[in-house]
Amino acid sequence: MYTRAEYITMLFVAGMVGIAEYFQVKEIIFPEIAALAFGAWVMEERPWHGPAWTIWFLPTLGAVTGVLIMRLAPHSLPTMVGLAFLFILIELKLFRSAMSPSFSAAILPIITGITSWIYPVSVCVTAAIVAGAALYREKGRVAAMAKKPRAGHATMQAEMAHYGKLILFVVLVAVFAVKSNWIFVMSPPLIVAFVELTEPCSILRTKSMPRLLLLFTLSALAGIFWVVVVTQTFSWPLWAAAGLAVASTFLLVRILGMGTPPAFALALLPTILPRDMLPLYPVHVLIGSFLFIVFTHLGFKPSSSAERE
């Protein structure tokens, strides 16, 4: 039923969670690693163009950025989220990269209150494994990938306007999340999906938005289902719940005919949530997904080439 790459992804994610469980250090769990592994190992073509080393370096830099903000600039949550988002935009621009999972790496510690350096070390190690395997997998295709046509560069004014709208909408959702006390309306994987949706040549933008909404919500539901059933009903280890959550998301991707990395991170996020937040987590994801999709259509126009896809 599953491919070799999918089995490896499940085992890799379960292994990470198992190590965190063994040492009783939840900061080792990086939910976005499931998204990175899916994009780099399972998808036919990696969704983030650029050298494979950026899969390791930029999420690690993002994790360090998030922890530094938590330690050195503790302000209101929307302010810190906006600051983290701005820093990641600058980092991606400096390295000319589209590694959008870096946003999740930076914002997760802010939302969950992580200040331990164990978190960026874990991101560094797990992302390095994903990058190394991706480099091996793509070794024979590097030349072909380099020849692919790239989208034309936007003017500086258009680029600044795009970034400004991104920050504005992310902060608006963060304010809504804080005021409503529904923090995971701005789940980090949803912010990653929002960034990817707003790209001028986004292929994801050409897909069915109702199905995308359904995929994200069902992935979140699968994550809490397995955490509750495995750890609370049967008292089995959390790593088993993590592996089953990823396996369920692979099935959802097949059934809905739509695969996007943030869905896998949304399925893994319940492994680090407080138990009292689990029941409403899928509702948070549903509302957040809806808000980001609406903001995408209100504030960002797809390029003509994306519309033709």
Side-chain angles (χ1 to χ4, degrees):
M1 180 181 288
Y2 295 104
T3 66
R4 181 170 175 246
E6 289 170 344
Y7 277 119
I8 292 172
T9 299
M10 293 177 219
L11 291 171
F12 175 61
V13 169
M16 175 189 68
V17 175
I19 292 170
E21 197 171 17
Y22 179 80
F23 290 104
Q24 296 186 344
V25 181
K26 278 206 167 181
E27 289 84 355
I28 290 174
I29 300 175
F30 177 42
E32 196 68 29
I33 205 67
L36 284 173
F38 173 71
W41 296 352
V42 179
M43 293 183 74
E44 187 174 338
E45 182 180 336
R46 178 155 47 90
W48 318 288
H49 295 296
W53 63 266
T54 59
I55 298 174
W56 158 70
F57 180 72
L58 290 171
T60 301
L61 185 59
V64 171
T65 300
V67 170
L68 280 175
I69 289 172
M70 283 294 294
R71 284 172 166 260
L72 303 178
H75 291 288
S76 67
L77 194 142
T79 301
M80 289 193 291
V81 167
L83 194 59
F85 195 90
L86 175 61
F87 276 125
I88 298 304
L89 280 176
I90 293 170
E91 289 165 13
L92 295 184
K93 185 66 178 173
L94 284 174
F95 289 95
R96 299 180 180 179
S97 173
M99 272 302 299
S100 50
S102 302
F103 290 101
S104 184
I107 292 171
L108 181 69
I110 294 169
I111 291 178
T112 57
I114 295 172
T115 57
S116 170
W117 290 112
I118 292 174
Y119 169 69
V121 169
S122 174
V123 174
C124 178
V125 172
T126 53
I129 293 170
V130 173
L135 184 62
Y136 177 79
R137 178 188 180 220
E138 296 168 3
K139 194 162 50 176
R141 295 185 289 162
V142 171
M145 290 172 67
K147 292 177 182 176
K148 286 194 173 183
R150 297 177 180 270
H153 293 289
T155 64
M156 179 65 73
Q157 185 177 1
E159 203 168 40
M160 290 301 103
H162 182 87
Y163 292 162
K165 285 186 288 185
L166 279 175
I167 295 171
L168 172 63
F169 289 135
V170 166
V171 171
L172 283 176
V173 173
V175 170
F176 172 78
V178 170
K179 295 293 184 183
S180 63
N181 204 29
W182 286 28
I183 297 301
F184 287 92
V185 163
M186 58 169 175
S187 296
L190 292 181
I191 294 175
V192 173
F194 176 56
V195 172
E196 293 176 356
L197 278 168
T198 61
E199 286 297 315
C201 295
S202 171
I203 300 301
L204 187 59
R205 185 78 173 268
T206 65
K207 308 297 183 183
S208 164
M209 290 301 105
R211 272 194 293 163
L212 184 65
L213 193 70
L214 186 61
L215 174 62
F216 286 166
T217 306
L218 290 178
S219 297
L221 188 60
I224 65 159
F225 173 80
W226 288 117
V227 167
V228 170
V229 169
V230 169
T231 65
Q232 296 182 21
T233 304
F234 293 103
S235 299
W236 292 348
L238 186 62
W239 62 261
L244 288 167
V246 173
S248 298
T249 308
F250 277 124
L251 289 178
L252 289 171
V253 164
R254 283 190 176 85
I255 292 167
L256 295 173
M258 175 183 290
T260 180
F264 289 83
L266 287 168
L268 196 58
L269 194 55
T271 59
I272 62 171
L273 295 184
R275 292 291 180 261
D276 60 342
M277 295 201 69
L278 290 177
L280 286 176
Y281 171 65
V283 181
H284 290 208
V285 170
L286 173 63
I287 294 170
S289 301
F290 177 77
L291 288 174
F292 281 123
I293 287 172
V294 168
F295 286 149
T296 297
H297 285 280
L298 286 178
F300 304 88
K301 292 182 179 179
S303 70
S304 56
S305 60
E307 288 175 322
R308 289 194 298 268
E309 292 279 347

